[in-house]
Amino acid sequence: MTDAPRETSVDTIQRELTAFARRARAAAARLHPELPLVSYTLLAHIVDQQGCRATDLAAHYLLDKSTVSRQVGGLEKLGLVERRPDPEDHRVQVLHPTEAGTRILASTQASRRAAYQERLKDWSAEDLARFAAYLLRYNAAGPVALPDGSPADPTTTSP
């Protein structure tokens, strides 16, 4: 026996998260056509961490190493990141943002923040705090696995 209201809520959450992810990808493309959402996310992580290895990005975002390699290659080609030897182990390459990467990220983040401020302008402080807490709780639950055990991002599935 299933709990129909719970199932309906889960279906609504899945559908709305999918719509959210699609809007986020479209917005990222409008903000910087050469910087897809995945690349933007990786660049933001590199800036936040003040440098990291590509393997760290793959592990953090549950991405295949080849996907990270392609995205990082694109960021390098755009002049937004550069590789430097790790001072503790010169065999390891650490990704660092360039000045241009830091500048574009700051500009893009300001535009994204303004868009969120506009979209949420009619929400009360209490609603915003509750929504933020729910998102933190949801993301803290960890990755979702498909029946075969492989990781899955539920926001990329079709409704």
Side-chain angles (χ1 to χ4, degrees), residues 11-83:
D11 288 346
T12 299
I13 291 165
Q14 185 274 327
R15 182 182 64 245
E16 294 305 314
L17 284 175
T18 299
F20 175 84
R22 289 180 179 151
R23 278 194 312 273
R25 281 191 296 274
R30 285 191 307 275
L31 289 173
H32 196 288
E34 295 178 22
L35 193 59
L37 184 60
V38 172
S39 295
Y40 167 83
T41 302
L42 298 181
L43 177 60
H45 189 85
I46 293 166
V47 170
D48 288 346
Q49 297 299 308
Q50 299 177 347
C52 67
R53 299 172 306 156
T55 55
D56 297 331
L57 291 170
H60 183 77
Y61 290 106
L62 302 174
L63 294 171
D64 185 80
K65 290 177 186 177
S66 65
T67 299
V68 171
S69 180
R70 278 192 308 278
Q71 297 298 324
V72 168
L75 290 170
E76 286 179 304
K77 187 175 180 181
L78 291 170
L80 304 179
V81 299
E82 62 187 7
R83 294 175 191 263

Side-chain angles (χ1 to χ4, degrees), residues 3 6-7 15 27 31 35 47 49 61 63 65 69 89 93 95 106 109-110 117 126 128 136 138 142 146 154-155:
D3 183 358
R6 182 175 177 83
E7 291 299 319
R15 182 182 64 245
L31 289 173
L35 193 59
V47 170
Q49 297 299 308
Y61 290 106
L63 294 171
K65 290 177 186 177
S69 180
D89 183 349
Q93 296 289 308
L95 301 166
Q109 285 176 328
Q117 291 285 6
E126 182 179 282
L128 289 173
L136 286 168
Y138 177 80
L146 294 172
T155 63

Side-chain angles (χ1 to χ4, degrees), residues 83-103:
R83 294 175 191 263
R84 297 184 205 151
D86 185 327
E88 296 176 17
D89 183 349
H90 292 292
R91 297 171 296 171
V92 175
Q93 296 289 308
V94 178
L95 301 166
H96 290 276
T98 62
E99 188 176 314
T102 302
R103 190 174 52 253

